[in-house]
Amino acid sequence: MARNELRPIIKLRSTAGTGYTYVTRKNRQNDPDRVTLRKYDPVAARHVAFREER
């Protein structure tokens, strides 16, 4: 199986509306749906939920 099929690169966008993004990889077998992670948003200066963008 090719590398891009199992662990694709995804973009996580802040739900605070600042437009800040993180780039990471995810495992499609463990997380087939959209991923939501709580990470630090330096524009908002606090931790907020970041949702996977397609």
Side-chain angles (χ1 to χ4, degrees):
M1 190 176 260
R3 178 178 174 160
N4 289 345
E5 292 176 13
L6 186 59
R7 292 192 68 86
I9 296 173
I10 60 167
K11 196 182 269 190
L12 299 171
R13 183 167 303 275
S14 174
T15 58
T18 59
Y20 193 78
T21 60
Y22 281 98
V23 177
T24 188
R25 292 183 177 272
K26 77 166 187 176
N27 188 325
R28 272 208 186 123
Q29 285 183 326
N30 296 339
D31 299 308
D33 301 328
R34 287 191 186 184
V35 175
T36 302
L37 298 174
R38 192 164 161 82
K39 296 179 76 63
Y40 184 74
D41 186 341
V43 179
R46 60 191 175 101
H47 282 82
V48 296
F50 279 76
R51 186 172 162 94
E52 177 184 342
E53 187 180 72
R54 292 189 187 196

